[in-house]
């Protein structure tokens, strides 16, 4: 694909892996690092510019960086998230970040645009050494 947007950000959150036999089963926190990579075959208008000159607004890839009170995941107890519940592994959080980001991007597309050429890859670091990658 000719275009790829990449962006990275962090958010701080607490969680417990319910039923985990070890330290991850106790309340603890991470500075999660996220890398979003969005590929596209063509350029489009966005919510902020009506000419077809963007893959997507970078803002649409960084929503999770916002405070939980503004719809993001920063300073959230992830187990209280309705779509995550007690299964807050890096794998489950990465898949959720993919699903929710694609939902937001598709919500911004024009009616005639099915967005079929948009491919998103999410990389989620739970620690500086350990990363989960999710794409479809
Ligand atoms: Zn953890």
């Amino acid at each position: 694909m000719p275009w790829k947007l990449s962006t990275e950000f962090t958010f701080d959150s607490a969680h417990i892996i319910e039923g985990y036999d070890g330290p991850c089963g106790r309340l603890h926190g991470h500075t999660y690092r996220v890398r979003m990579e969005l590929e596209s075959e063509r350029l489009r208008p966005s919510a902020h510019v009506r000419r077809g000159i963007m893959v997507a607004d970078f803002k649409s890839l960084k929503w999770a960086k916002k405070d939980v009170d503004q719809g993001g995941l920063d300073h959230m107890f992830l187990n209280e998230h309705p779509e995550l519940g007690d299964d807050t592994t890096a794998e489950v959080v990465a898949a959720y970040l993919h699903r929710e980001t694609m939902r937001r991007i598709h919500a911004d597309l024009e009616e005639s645009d099915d967005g079929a050429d948009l491919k998103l890859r999410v990389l989620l670091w739970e620690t500086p050494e350990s990363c989960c990658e999710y794409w479809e």
Side-chain angles (χ1 to χ4, degrees):
M1 298 219 189
W3 286 281
K4 179 164 89 173
L5 299 187
S6 300
T7 189
E8 292 193 20
F9 60 89
T10 62
F11 65 90
D12 297 322
S13 292
H15 76 149
I16 302 170
I17 308 290
E18 284 295 338
Y20 186 97
D21 180 20
C24 296
R26 297 192 298 265
L27 177 63
H28 64 284
H30 297 284
T31 295
Y32 289 94
R33 178 155 205 87
V34 180
R35 181 177 177 86
M36 297 270 184
E37 298 179 355
L38 182 66
E39 293 186 359
S40 178
E41 284 178 3
R42 64 187 188 82
L43 299 181
R44 315 176 137 79
S46 85
H48 299 283
V49 59
R50 300 316 304 162
R51 300 188 309 288
I53 55 174
M54 301 174 90
V55 171
D57 200 304
F58 276 108
K59 274 193 256 182
S60 64
L61 299 175
K62 299 176 98 160
W63 63 272
K65 169 191 173 82
K66 288 188 193 163
D67 189 88
V68 61
D69 291 341
Q70 286 143 23
L73 297 179
D74 191 47
H75 285 74
M76 180 174 207
F77 179 39
L78 294 176
N79 295 59
E80 291 180 344
H81 193 290
E83 285 196 47
L84 299 175
D86 290 330
D87 296 327
T88 54
T89 59
E91 292 87 337
V92 171
V93 176
Y96 167 69
L97 285 168
H98 188 283
R99 187 165 68 246
E100 179 61 18
T101 304
M102 286 306 272
R103 189 191 68 74
R104 288 169 184 247
I105 289 169
H106 276 89
D108 285 345
L109 295 177
E110 294 187 323
E111 260 180 50
S112 59
D113 184 356
D114 67 1
D117 62 311
L118 289 165
K119 305 289 180 216
L120 178 66
R121 182 175 296 255
V122 175
L123 292 88
L124 177 70
W125 284 265
E126 201 174 57
T127 70
E129 301 86 24
S130 302
C131 178
C132 174
E133 193 167 344
Y134 184 90
W135 72 97
E136 284 179 338

